[in-house]
Structure formats: structure tokens, C-alpha cells
Amino acid sequence: MNIFEKILARASGKREVTPGDIVEANIDMAMIHDLTGPLTLDSFKKIGASKVWDPNRIVIIFDHLIPASTIRAATHQKNLREFAREQGIRSLYDIGQGGVCHQVFHERGYARPGELIVGADSHTCTYGALGAFATGIGSTEMAAVFTTGKMWFKVPKVIKICVRGKLRKYTTPKDLILKIIGDLGEGGAIYKGLEFTGQTFKEMSIDGRLTVCNMVVEAGAKAGIVPPDNKTITYVRARTRGTFKPVLSDEGARYENVLEYDVTGFQPLVACPPTVDNVRPASELQNVSIDQVFIGSCTNGRMEDLRLAASILKGRRINEGVRMIISPASQEIYKECLREGLLRIFTEAGAVVTNATCGPCLGGHMGLLAPGEVCISTSNRNFVGRMGSPQSKVYLANPATAAASGVTGHITDPNELRRR
Amino acid sequence: MTITAKTLKLGNNINTDVIIPGRYLESIDPEELGRHALEGLDPTFPNKAKEGVILVAGKNFGCGSSREQAPIALKSAGVRCIIAESFARIFFRNAINIGLPALECEGISRTTSEGDTLSVDLANGIVANKTTGTVMRATPTPQFILKLIEEGGLIPHVRALVERS
Ligand code: SF4
């Protein structure tokens, strides 16, 4: 069996499963945030259950609209706090304690190899970077999970993606996953699992693997997994008290397809609006002027990303007429930026550094776009109206490309940025 | 269970951000959400759908975020069933879970024009076009999903489980 099948078999108490089987599985961990949580509570109340199945397996993270941007958001957050208290859910990350859910969840040790995780957010697939089967679900489905601890799954077919070669200085795991999504197409992996292997993944940092798995849903995939190795185990051990059992695909496991990539010579890429599979080299988009840069999100708001952006911004100023918003993905990362002097580099370059929040990524608050405006963003979606007005445009790129574009005022391959 | 209604047509890769933009997600009120259904694509949609329609769409319908507000908005605006070439998986589950029938039917966007009257037999997965006289076969809905839809969605289903235990 492959890693996906093994996790689903274990979670549903079966010796073996095959693609297409429908299994009822026990959920190891479940996550909601301040935007999907309120509807979950509403459905939970309508179900009429009094207690959640296991308060220790539920994590609540406030990230989308924090600090509360409206009275309604504040009320939702208040209700979620009360719910956690009533139910004895201790893992609630309030304002100032956590940050973006898909950073906080694993940073605090809730994502463990071999486990089955559901989150009421489509980018829950991020935790596959740590060898978990993790996938997004809706709010009512989550209310059912809160009640029973179980959910039905169709065992997915799996595509194996083998990658070799070394990424160049300003070419990152973001560019690799953009390339893969561009090739698969927006719905190219619907219902499927993606397993990422090969030398490039072995050498890739945990931050990089998180970026890659974060975006598998943009090709429609149910989950993406990087087989756990020593790096994974070291990362997880340092963060969890729980025990865990990593699983790997068997020799001769079943795959629907095997794709091979060699990243040697890859260039920084940009996903052009309005779809994530509309991928072109940054160097071909120089004539696109920008109004706003957003560096952050569950895709590229981690330490490695911010260090990369800082390496471009150090000693430079962003172009007049461009606004740059930087949101570290978590409070921990924010503090690390403070220690390493990154906050200083960012503010001196002319950027606004926000608290750890989703904020502009979903067009929620703090930096929405006006009609006709253009943003280059390190996040994961460039759909019509994603970051504000339906007449605005979003280009997706890696943090070096985003920062370099902020300096020049138009989309810029960071390799072409000259000292000025 | 058979649903008969006129169709409205959409293209491929209709994502949840255009179905219900992020700025409305604070709401969990179906009526309010329904007023903004598909606002990112066609602000007149709620008006067109209000008499009750079957939505016919292309590939990967509902891709993007897990927001359940997306199928809620469509259902509340008047959509009674969605037939697409394929669905994004979270959207598909969300639709079923709130009791909005969703069917996969290869070739449907080719054979249907906007305004055609369709009659959908969910149990047998048969889509009859009353306007053109053609009949198409959808991917059959598994028995337990049909039961979920008939019970009115996941809430009544789990409520019954809770009451029994
Ligand atoms: S950062 Fe953006 S993509 Fe990630 S969870 Fe927040 S809103 Fe969703």
C-alpha cells in the first residue's frame, strides 16, 4: 500500500484498502478557525449533541479576521471562546498567541506523521509535509466530526511526483509547486493524493515542504504527502508530547501515475490571474506594474520566506507608489523576525508589518484592493475578487520575486534586480 | 426524488471566491448569503435563480476554499440541484451535507443550453432534457449519499444517530 492507503486503513481499522473504497475513519485531530468555526458551532447546536467527542483532539485558531475587524467578527470570536470553555477544549489560540492556522497547527505539534487530520479550511493539506494525511472539510462536516469523531473517505488514487536537481538561489519550492500546478491544471488532481519524493524533497527544508503541500489543493488534490524522514521526526518531536508512528509507502505500492521533474535551471515563476495554473516566468512579466505587494500567508509567511524577502529588501526601499504588507505567519515567527532584525529591514524599506493574520490573503481586512489595482502576493489564490475588488488583479509568486517587484514597481525576476 | 426546473449555465473552474467572496464569510445567515450568490461573476444571479433553477456547469465546479457558505448561498438563492462535469471535492461534500443535490454528468455542458428544462432523477442518475428530448446518464449517487440527501443533509442524519445512542 502507499502512504495514503496505509493511513486510511489504520484509521478505519482495516488491514488493507484500495482506491475507490469508501471507509469510515476515526479522526486523529480536527481544526477550526474564526471564519469556519461559527458555522460549525451552529451546525453542532442543530445536531443537538451536548459534548464533543474528544476535547483533546480539537484545535481552534483565530487567524482570518484578527484583531476582530467588525462587531460580527468579534461576536463570533467571543462565541468560540465560550464554546471552548464549555467543552473543555484547551487548544485555543487567541489573538497574540498563535497566528495563521496552518502555521500554528504544526508549530505547536498537532500535526504528526501517520495521523489523519481534518480542518475546516481547504489548506489543511499543508500538514502532509509532515507525513500526515490531512485534508479540508466544510463546517457542517466538522460538526459531525465533533459529534462522532468519524468521517467517511473515499480512498484516493495517488500520483507520485519524483523531483531531482538543486533549486537555484531565488528559485524556491513555491516555484516548483507552481510549475506542477501549471502542468496538472486547476482541476488536474481532483480527488487524488500527491506523493512527493526524490532528492530535491530529501534536501528541502520543512518550511519548503509545507509550501509545496499547502498548494496541492489548487490542483484539486485531496491531500499531498512528503514521506516522513529524520528532518520530519526532529521537527515534530521538538513540538509534541504525544507519540506517533510514521508510515512510508511500501516498495511496489500502487500509483495511478508517476511524474518526474528536474528542477535544474528552473526560474522564478508567477501565476497570473485569474487561475493558479496560469503560470509564466517572472522575467516575461516585466511590463506588469503593481500597486501592492503582500508577503505572508500559510503558503509563504514562514521564517525561510521572510529571510529571503529580507535579503532582497536589505538596504533598499520599495518603489514610490507601491505599498508592501508583510504578515509573519505566526507570533513565533514574528518574534524570530524581531530577534534577527528582519522587522527593522522591512520597516526601513517602507513596508507595513502586520500581526500574524490571514488578513489581505482572503480579502478579509488590512489591505484590500481597489478596482483596477494589481497586487503581487506570496499567497496561494489569485481568483477574481480574492483580495478585494472583482476588478483588481492578483499575481502569485515566491517571496524573493514579490520583494524584488516591490523595489522596482513592476513584476521582476529577483535575479535581474541590480544594486541601485 | 426527481427535480424539474429550468437551467442556468456556468463554465469551467467556477471557484468559491466568486460564488461567495471572502468579505461576506462573516455571515452564516442563508438569506443574506443568497443575496450575494455568484456576485463575483454575475451580480444579477440571485434574481435569475429565484424561481428555482438547476445549475449546469463545466469541470471542477466549486474549487478553492472549504467555505460552506458557497453551497449555502447557491441553495438559498434558488439553486435546487447542480449538475457539473466534475466537482472540487470539498464543495461536493458540502453541497450534499447541506442537502443540495450535486451530480456529475460527463458531457452535460455540451448538450444543455441555458434555459432548457431538465428533469433529474437522482436515485437512478438520469438527466432528461425536456426541451431537446435527450436523456443523459450521470455518475450514479451511492446509496448512502442518496439517503443523506433524502434525510435533508448531514445535520438530520447525525441528529438521528445522537438520538438513537
Ligand atoms: S493565509 Fe490565506 S489561504 Fe492561508 S488559511 Fe489564511 S486565508 Fe486561507
Side-chain angles (χ1 to χ4, degrees):
Chain A
M1 285 190 288
N2 63 44
I3 199 164
F4 296 80
E5 294 162 352
K6 279 189 176 172
I7 294 175
L8 284 181
R10 194 263 311 148
S12 58
K14 293 196 160 31
R15 289 185 55 154
E16 182 132 25
V17 295
T18 35
D21 289 359
I22 291 185
V23 297
E24 192 177 50
N26 292 309
I27 301 300
D28 293 309
M29 290 304 294
M31 188 276 299
I32 56 173
H33 56 60
D34 58 318
L35 217 50
T36 52
L39 198 49
T40 303
L41 301 198
D42 190 59
S43 295
F44 186 75
K45 213 188 288 151
K46 287 183 184 148
I47 286 170
S50 52
K51 280 276 157 211
V52 299
W53 105 101
D54 185 346
N56 297 320
R57 292 182 186 274
I58 296 174
V59 183
I60 304 176
I61 302 169
F62 291 178
D63 60 354
H64 278 61
L65 298 175
I66 61 162
S69 53
T70 63
I71 295 171
R72 194 138 60 153
T75 311
H76 285 324
Q77 289 166 21
K78 182 170 174 244
N79 293 341
L80 284 163
R81 285 184 200 106
E82 271 165 21
F83 178 78
R85 211 173 306 125
E86 270 162 35
Q87 295 287 340
I89 298 165
R90 291 213 299 272
S91 304
L92 180 141
Y93 292 88
D94 212 319
I95 293 161
Q97 299 166 6
V100 176
C101 58
H102 304 310
Q103 176 60 20
V104 175
F105 192 87
H106 55 82
E107 198 178 79
R108 301 302 178 111
Y110 300 112
R112 293 173 283 254
E115 296 205 342
L116 180 60
I117 303 167
V118 292
D121 190 280
S122 60
H123 293 107
T124 301
C125 52
T126 308
Y127 321 140
L130 299 164
F133 188 128
T135 193
I137 63 174
S139 294
T140 296
E141 187 107 61
M142 186 57 90
V145 169
F146 276 17
T147 310
T148 65
K150 294 183 201 304
M151 195 180 117
W152 67 268
F153 287 86
K154 192 160 156 191
V155 179
K157 291 179 182 158
V158 178
I159 303 174
K160 183 167 164 171
I161 301 181
C162 300
V163 186
R164 63 194 157 81
K166 249 192 158 35
L167 289 163
R168 291 191 303 173
K169 189 170 172 203
Y170 291 132
T171 311
T172 71
K174 175 70 163 281
D175 303 292
L176 170 61
I177 187 64
L178 285 180
K179 169 83 179 131
I180 293 171
I181 294 166
D183 290 352
L184 287 172
E186 216 181 351
I190 298 187
Y191 308 127
K192 289 176 190 161
L194 302 180
E195 182 172 331
F196 296 103
T197 63
Q199 198 57 31
T200 312
F201 276 95
K202 285 211 183 84
E203 284 165 17
M204 197 182 287
S205 65
I206 296 291
D207 278 9
R209 295 176 187 181
L210 288 160
T211 301
V212 169
C213 289
N214 175 266
M215 288 194 76
V216 300
V217 66
E218 309 315 332
K222 181 181 238 169
I225 298 184
V226 178
D229 58 10
N230 285 337
K231 265 188 219 171
T232 321
I233 293 171
T234 311
Y235 183 90
V236 179
R237 276 250 166 81
R239 291 166 167 80
T240 185
R241 270 175 293 162
T243 52
F244 54 92
K245 220 174 137 216
V247 288
L248 296 172
S249 294
D250 292 327
E251 199 69 31
R254 168 178 39 214
Y255 295 98
E256 187 196 46
N257 200 353
V258 180
L259 304 177
E260 308 223 5
Y261 283 90
D262 185 344
V263 297
T264 316
F266 264 33
Q267 319 169 42
L269 297 173
V270 174
C272 303
T275 56
V276 185
D277 59 359
N278 189 11
V279 176
R280 289 177 56 192
S283 55
E284 290 177 12
L285 295 162
Q286 286 189 30
N287 54 356
V288 179
S289 311
I290 53 162
D291 301 288
Q292 181 167 302
V293 182
F294 173 56
I295 300 177
S297 87
C298 58
T299 317
N300 280 131
R302 286 177 255 280
M303 236 18 249
E304 198 171 282
D305 304 317
L306 300 181
R307 285 189 192 118
L308 185 62
S311 75
I312 301 269
L313 294 172
K314 190 166 186 191
R316 291 195 170 100
R317 276 199 64 85
I318 57 175
N319 200 272
E320 223 178 295
V322 175
R323 319 178 287 269
M324 186 181 282
I325 302 169
I326 301 181
S327 305
S330 73
Q331 195 74 6
E332 288 304 304
I333 292 171
Y334 196 104
K335 286 194 270 185
E336 184 59 24
C337 286
L338 184 64
R339 281 191 289 268
E340 293 185 17
L342 266 49
L343 296 183
R344 169 172 223 156
I345 295 171
F346 295 150
T347 43
E348 283 180 355
V352 167
V353 183
T354 77
N355 62 306
T357 178
C358 297
C361 169
L362 78 153
H365 69 151
M366 292 209 285
L368 274 72
L369 301 171
E373 288 192 326
V374 176
C375 178
I376 186 162
S377 169
T378 66
S379 57
N380 47 34
R381 287 195 177 131
N382 57 0
F383 301 154
V384 171
R386 171 72 180 183
M387 296 180 77
S389 163
Q391 283 90 42
S392 62
K393 290 204 169 99
V394 179
Y395 291 81
L396 305 175
N398 79 35
T401 309
S405 307
V407 171
T408 60
H410 55 85
I411 294 183
T412 301
D413 180 328
N415 294 297
E416 288 164 20
L417 191 67
R418 308 251 177 272
R419 277 266 153 211
R420 39 165 97 198
Chain B
M1 195 176 172
T2 304
I3 301 168
T4 306
K6 278 205 157 76
T7 60
L8 285 177
K9 266 189 82 176
L10 298 170
N12 291 329
N13 301 315
I14 301 296
N15 64 67
T16 52
D17 275 272
V18 301
I19 297 175
I20 187 81
R23 60 188 173 281
Y24 299 124
L25 297 184
E26 272 182 278
S27 175
I28 57 172
D29 170 24
E31 230 174 276
E32 184 183 346
L33 292 165
R35 282 201 296 276
H36 300 291
L38 269 167
E39 194 173 288
L41 199 65
D42 175 8
T44 66
F45 181 82
N47 204 28
K48 289 185 192 158
K50 66 173 186 284
E51 304 295 329
V53 293
I54 293 173
L55 212 54
V56 170
K59 288 189 189 129
N60 199 24
F61 186 83
C63 58
S65 103
S66 69
R67 58 190 71 168
E68 196 172 290
Q69 283 94 335
I72 293 176
L74 293 176
K75 189 180 178 195
S76 161
V79 174
R80 297 175 55 201
C81 172
I82 307 173
I83 312 173
E85 305 276 337
S86 63
F87 288 91
R89 61 165 280 281
I90 309 178
F91 182 93
F92 182 78
R93 289 184 80 118
N94 283 346
I96 302 295
N97 287 340
I98 64 155
L100 173 60
L103 251 85
E104 281 193 338
C105 181
E106 227 187 293
I108 190 74
S109 43
R110 201 169 13 88
T111 59
T112 314
S113 311
E114 178 143 317
D116 286 0
T117 299
L118 296 186
S119 187
V120 186
D121 173 349
L122 285 181
N124 298 305
I126 292 172
V127 182
N129 189 323
K130 300 281 181 201
T131 310
T132 63
T134 49
V135 174
M136 299 200 58
R137 204 159 256 294
T139 310
T141 308
Q143 202 54 43
F144 77 100
I145 293 186
L146 267 180
K147 212 166 146 253
L148 256 184
I149 298 174
E150 275 163 17
E151 287 176 53
L154 193 59
I155 292 176
H157 177 78
V158 182
R159 198 195 301 130
L161 286 181
V162 170
E163 279 161 9
R164 252 183 282 140
S165 67

